[in-house]
Amino acid sequence: SQSDSLLDLLNLVCVPVGLVFFSLALLTFALCQWSPGVNNVARINLCISLLLAHLLFLLTQQFLSLIRPHQVLCTVISGVLHFLFLSGFVWMFIEAVLLFICVKNLSQISSKKREALSSGFLCVIGYTVPLVVVAVSVGLLPEGYGSEQ
């Protein structure tokens, strides 16, 4: 494989900058509660998913020479990356649904909707849906994860 020095430089500069800003966003959402009615669970989990995905991507790029000979490790890393990026999309969808409910019921979210959208329920959805998609993908096409390239 030929190494592209510009791409390597961008990975070494831009991904860590993104990690810093994901960390700052995570700290902001975790430490600053503007209103007790505001649910930051989706935002926090979105930041965690994307932070871990970008960190794994950066570490994979840095240690590619050590990872490449081990096909199983390459397969596991690509499956975990798939899961983390999918969970980021699911958390964005959950945040959009929460925002829709908030805007639709500007006065007060009813207690029934509040119970149905508890933090635990959101976490189950936010991580189970991507896990099912990755499991089905692995089940249908196991050689699709990790390759010689």
Side-chain angles (χ1 to χ4, degrees), residues 11-116:
N11 278 338
L12 283 176
V13 173
C14 296
V15 175
V17 168
L19 290 173
V20 168
F21 285 108
F22 276 128
S23 300
L24 289 173
L26 183 61
L27 284 173
T28 302
F29 292 133
L31 298 177
C32 299
Q33 290 288 338
W34 296 283
S35 169
V38 174
N39 192 352
N40 281 338
V41 172
R43 291 181 205 115
I44 290 171
N45 283 292
L46 172 63
C47 287
I48 289 171
S49 294
L50 293 178
L51 178 76
L52 290 176
H54 283 85
L55 182 63
L56 183 60
F57 182 77
L58 181 66
L59 292 175
T60 302
Q61 294 301 315
Q62 292 303 312
F63 298 110
L64 193 57
S65 60
L66 298 173
I67 295 170
R68 190 168 294 187
H70 306 287
Q71 186 63 29
V72 173
L73 182 59
C74 184
T75 301
V76 168
I77 289 173
S78 61
V80 170
L81 278 172
H82 186 199
F83 169 76
L84 289 171
F85 281 118
L86 273 177
S87 66
F89 281 112
V90 171
W91 282 111
M92 282 186 249
F93 175 73
I94 290 172
E95 179 62 27
V97 169
L98 291 173
L99 184 61
F100 173 77
I101 290 172
C102 184
V103 169
K104 185 179 174 204
N105 304 317
L106 284 175
S107 60
Q108 179 96 11
I109 297 175
S110 68
S111 61
K112 229 183 221 185
K113 287 182 182 171
R114 221 178 245 180
E115 289 171 9

